[in-house]
Amino acid sequence: MEASTALSRIGLAGLAVMGQNLALNIADKGFPISVYNRTTSKVDETLDRARREGDLPLTGHHTPRDFVLSIKPPRSVIILVKAGSPVDQTIAALSEHMSPGDCIIDGGNEWYENTERRIHDASQKGLLYLGMGVSGGEEGARFGPSLMPGGSHEAYNNIKDILQKVAAQVEDGPCVTYIGEGGSGNFVKMVHNGIEYGDMQLISEAYDVLKHVGGLSNSELAEIFAEWNRGELESFLIEITADIFKVKDDHGEGELVDKILDKTGMKGTGKWTVQQAAELSVAAPTIAASLDCRYLSGLKEEREKASEILREAGLKDEVQNVGVHVDKKRLIDDVRQALYASKICSYAQGMNLLRSKSDQKGWNLNFGELARIWKGGCIIRAVFLDRIKQAYQRNPNLASLVVDPEFAREMVQRQAAWRRVVGLAISAGISTPGMCASLSYFDTYRRARLPANLVQAQRDLFGAHTYERIDRPGSYHTEWTKIARNSSGVAALN
């Protein structure tokens, strides 16, 4: 359908695989779409796919001007290019031909402050702007992603019907909602990715314990994860993990997973999440631990040398000694419970970060609705997101998922198994930083009194930072050293 005089309903610029698939998804839902890419071969490739995949209503254009003018006003243009300066360059090329009232939608993983700058810049030209998180990978883009648009509400309303048809569909509606003003859509997608980092790390730790302490084979692990995917852990990540263990190596014996280099890549959203948690003084230890593990995984040569040096220094491998005495059936069930409880903590941290940013920016985020649109299409989609939605519906001001009555009961029921797994892993010398971070988070959050009183006393001693008392109001400073070395004297000065 390259030659057509009819104007398209929407346009998409940036035809890497995600862009192509989202464009084909839109066309597949019956919305005529124009596409453009600076490398014209990508345009031709997309046109060919549109013909092969059902003669879809998609037209291709080789110049920014022809592309923009092929779209019905008020124009809505999605851009899917690499975050940063390529976005600015694409906006500059397209906006030259756009008119007041037209809209640009950035569907990349962009830093939210860049989106807020672009909203301001676009408004100077009379243009509307949305920063829209898109989750689900290549398959999600083609058949139904989770969409997180934030920015101009008018712009959202202009394409609401398209987004609702294109998004993944679950029993309580399409996996898209208007997130809020400014860069809220990009920020929510960033935290989604941070939670994803935590999820993946926790699953890898469950695998590590079951494989090396339990001595389970890949075929046994595939069966276990498949079984878990039929219960409370049902999710996309658990499902694909079961599949991964089944894939044989084409170039040798055994399964492919064992031949993959143990270095994990990353694109930056996890780091942004941890940075924002620090900026907002929100504890996110599970997400931070997952990021640290990716950094440490990159030190492959250092780790190999350290393993050799410490072995020569007398460090013994305790895995076999611990594994000999393990009840495998109990271990499998304990790890399932530990994984579930740890996941609750990870999601709680992500939701608390979103709440803090929402309060700071006045976004008025709807946390139950966020959980709902993550139920389908996206990488962290999971059955228990419906229960997170219900928790926030019961109490929109819920301080933490940990104290929702239902989740609190489940955490308490699983804590014994959780502690057994972490303790067993420590005894075996297997690192479980995500599970440990989640358990420490739970134990810290549940305690009415912490040893922070001693830390504050130390701060007062060396920096005169003062402290508060539990038995009277006001701020106090004590001459700690002077009093400690002189048995007489007044304890504190008000």
Side-chain angles (χ1 to χ4, degrees), residues 23-175:
L24 292 166
N25 184 357
I26 292 170
D28 210 7
K29 298 303 188 295
F31 300 101
I33 183 170
S34 296
V35 298
Y36 164 74
N37 197 83
R38 192 172 60 176
T39 304
T40 56
S41 61
K42 290 289 186 183
V43 177
D44 299 334
E45 184 181 315
T46 308
L47 285 167
D48 183 57
R49 284 189 62 189
R51 282 190 288 267
R52 286 188 287 108
E53 296 182 25
D55 198 22
L56 302 176
L58 183 148
T59 61
H61 305 273
H62 292 167
T63 69
R65 181 180 183 278
D66 289 348
F67 168 64
V68 171
L69 296 182
S70 73
I71 304 165
K72 180 181 178 181
R75 303 175 183 91
S76 296
V77 177
I78 299 171
I79 56 176
L80 272 168
V81 299
K82 187 177 179 181
S85 59
V87 177
D88 292 311
Q89 293 164 11
T90 304
I91 290 171
L94 299 178
S95 62
E96 184 178 341
H97 309 288
M98 298 178 79
S99 305
D102 291 351
C103 174
I104 296 170
I105 304 111
D106 176 16
N109 280 332
E110 187 56 271
W111 175 237
Y112 83 99
E113 288 184 339
N114 285 343
T115 295
E116 297 196 329
R117 168 178 59 80
R118 291 173 188 139
I119 288 172
H120 176 267
D121 293 346
S123 69
Q124 302 301 300
K125 301 177 182 179
L127 300 177
L128 308 177
Y129 198 94
L130 285 172
M132 181 172 71
V134 179
S135 179
E138 298 172 7
E139 184 176 345
R142 179 64 182 87
F143 299 106
S146 176
L147 301 172
M148 295 153 256
S152 166
H153 197 268
E154 180 184 350
Y156 173 72
N157 284 334
N158 287 346
I159 58 169
K160 180 178 178 181
D161 60 330
I162 298 176
L163 298 184
Q164 289 184 336
K165 287 286 181 64
V166 165
Q169 307 293 316
V170 292
E171 72 280 358
D172 48 3
C175 293

Side-chain angles (χ1 to χ4, degrees), residues 32 44 51 57 156 224 238 243 245 266 276 291 383 386 396 432 453:
D44 299 334
R51 282 190 288 267
Y156 173 72
I224 290 163
I238 294 292
D243 289 340
F245 291 128
M266 67 191 101
Q276 278 295 293
L291 184 65
V383 69
D386 192 58
T432 52
N453 53 318

Side-chain angles (χ1 to χ4, degrees), residues 277-428:
E279 288 284 336
L280 293 164
S281 300
V282 173
T286 310
I287 299 170
S290 70
L291 184 65
D292 287 340
C293 282
R294 294 199 182 196
Y295 293 150
L296 285 166
S297 77
L299 304 177
K300 176 64 173 177
E301 292 183 3
E302 283 187 42
R303 289 187 288 112
E304 288 177 333
K305 290 177 182 177
S307 176
E308 183 179 338
I309 291 169
L310 292 169
R311 185 170 57 251
E312 290 173 356
L315 184 65
K316 296 179 180 179
D317 185 354
E318 297 293 338
V319 173
Q320 289 184 339
N321 293 335
V322 172
V324 168
H325 307 289
V326 165
D327 179 336
K328 287 187 181 181
K329 186 175 181 181
R330 183 181 182 182
L331 177 65
I332 292 166
D333 191 59
D334 279 356
V335 171
R336 174 187 61 79
Q337 295 186 64
L339 178 55
Y340 184 78
S342 297
K343 279 168 63 77
I344 293 173
C345 287
S346 184
Y347 278 74
Q349 293 161 28
M351 289 299 194
N352 287 353
L353 176 54
L354 288 172
R355 179 184 298 284
S356 181
K357 195 66 177 183
S358 180
D359 289 344
Q360 182 195 65
K361 301 288 287 186
W363 285 338
N364 195 29
L365 297 181
N366 183 329
F367 306 106
E369 185 69 353
L370 295 183
R372 186 193 68 77
I373 67 169
W374 289 345
K375 285 168 55 180
C378 70
I379 302 301
I380 66 170
R381 61 184 182 266
V383 69
F384 96 135
L385 278 162
D386 192 58
R387 300 186 50 241
I388 293 178
K389 181 194 79 169
Q390 292 168 11
Y392 283 107
Q393 286 177 337
R394 283 192 294 270
N395 181 6
N397 298 314
L398 185 65
S400 171
L401 288 174
V402 174
V403 294
D404 171 74
E406 287 195 14
F407 282 120
R409 185 164 51 252
E410 291 185 334
M411 299 283 278
V412 172
Q413 290 170 347
R414 287 159 178 76
Q415 66 161 339
W418 197 3
R419 297 182 196 283
R420 283 195 296 270
V421 170
V422 169
L424 189 65
I426 291 171
S427 298

Side-chain angles (χ1 to χ4, degrees), residues 465-481:
H465 292 293
T466 74
Y467 58 89
E468 296 175 88
R469 294 178 59 106
I470 60 174
D471 55 352
R472 62 187 67 183
S475 296
Y476 298 84
H477 169 62
T478 295
E479 297 291 342
W480 298 92
T481 304

